[in-house]
């Protein structure tokens, strides 16, 4: 009986450890703000509310100083199909959220580190309120991810042709 109980304990511990490892694999990265570098633009990642990250299906994690830089890099490297998890920060709380669960606001009046003008919110109502304040466009993760990268930033309806000054 003692041997059976020991086996159950060991099996249960291994299962719990496996779940813990999976939870850690699904977790966003830890960023040392003010020290870590955006993989796309080589600028220091200094503001949590803009930072973003993704993990590829091979386990490699990449971090960015903004959502626009994430999209630009993923397209430039051909990695969009290989993104297993992506995370963004809620603009208000600075908490990490899964990118596909966030609501986005994009617009010329949205000031971001590299001028792409895209921020994320954990709730659609917070995104709608912010969009109303700045005249921004509401977007889903799939819409953000489908934006095309250009020399002067991301191309999309939110740029409306005169966003070039912010992208320089």
């Amino acid at each position: 009986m003692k041997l059976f109980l020991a086996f159950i304990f060991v099996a249960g511990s291994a299962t719990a450890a496996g779940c813990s490892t999976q939870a850690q694999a699904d977790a966003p990265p830890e960023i040392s703000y003010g020290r870590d570098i955006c993989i796309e633009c080589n600028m220091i990642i200094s503001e949590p509310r803009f930072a973003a990250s993704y993990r590829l299906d091979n386990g490699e994690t990449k971090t960015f100083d903004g959502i626009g830089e994430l999209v630009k890099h993923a397209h430039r490297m051909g990695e969009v199909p290989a993104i297993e998890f992506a995370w963004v920060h809620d603009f208000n709380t600075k908490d990490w959220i899964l990118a596909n669960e966030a609501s986005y606001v994009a617009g010329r009046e949205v000031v971001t580190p590299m001028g792409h003008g895209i921020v994320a919110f954990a709730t659609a109502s917070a995104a709608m309120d912010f969009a109303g304040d700045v005249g921004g466009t509401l977007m889903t993760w799939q819409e953000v991810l489908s934006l095309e990268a250009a020399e002067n930033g991301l191309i999309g309806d939110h740029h409306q042709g005169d966003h070039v000054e912010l992208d320089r």
Side-chain angles (χ1 to χ4, degrees):
M1 181 67 168
K2 287 182 182 178
L3 183 61
F4 177 73
L5 290 175
F7 173 77
I8 295 296
F9 176 76
V10 170
S13 297
T15 301
C19 291
S20 175
T21 302
Q22 181 62 36
Q24 289 174 347
D26 298 353
E30 296 215 11
I31 296 176
S32 294
Y33 297 99
R35 296 202 310 191
D36 286 351
I37 304 293
C38 173
I39 195 163
E40 177 62 20
C41 67
N42 295 315
M43 301 293 287
I44 292 174
I45 304 171
S46 59
E47 297 184 65
R49 68 178 43 188
F50 301 116
S53 180
Y54 64 73
R55 183 168 300 127
L56 298 170
D57 54 14
N58 68 5
E60 182 181 5
T61 299
K62 297 184 176 189
T63 55
F64 306 89
D65 64 352
I67 296 166
E69 292 297 277
L70 177 152
V71 173
K72 188 175 170 182
H73 184 82
H75 282 287
R76 186 173 66 78
M77 300 302 290
E79 293 176 340
V80 173
I83 295 175
E84 186 173 33
F85 295 101
W87 304 272
V88 294
H89 280 94
D90 178 272
F91 184 74
N92 292 327
T93 67
K94 301 177 188 169
D95 292 335
W96 281 113
I97 49 179
L98 284 168
N100 63 343
E101 295 177 3
S103 295
Y104 298 85
V105 175
R108 291 177 291 146
E109 301 299 320
V110 180
V111 179
T112 60
M114 296 304 291
H116 295 292
I118 303 169
V119 292
F121 295 87
T123 66
S125 61
M128 286 191 292
D129 289 345
F130 186 78
D133 291 344
V134 299
T137 302
L138 292 170
M139 299 181 83
T140 65
W141 174 240
Q142 288 306 317
E143 290 170 329
V144 169
L145 202 53
S146 70
L147 293 172
E148 295 180 33
E151 189 72 24
N152 64 345
L154 296 177
I155 298 173
D157 292 340
H158 70 282
H159 284 276
Q160 300 174 8
D162 58 351
H163 195 267
V164 176
E165 290 305 312
L166 289 178
D167 289 324
R168 289 182 190 204

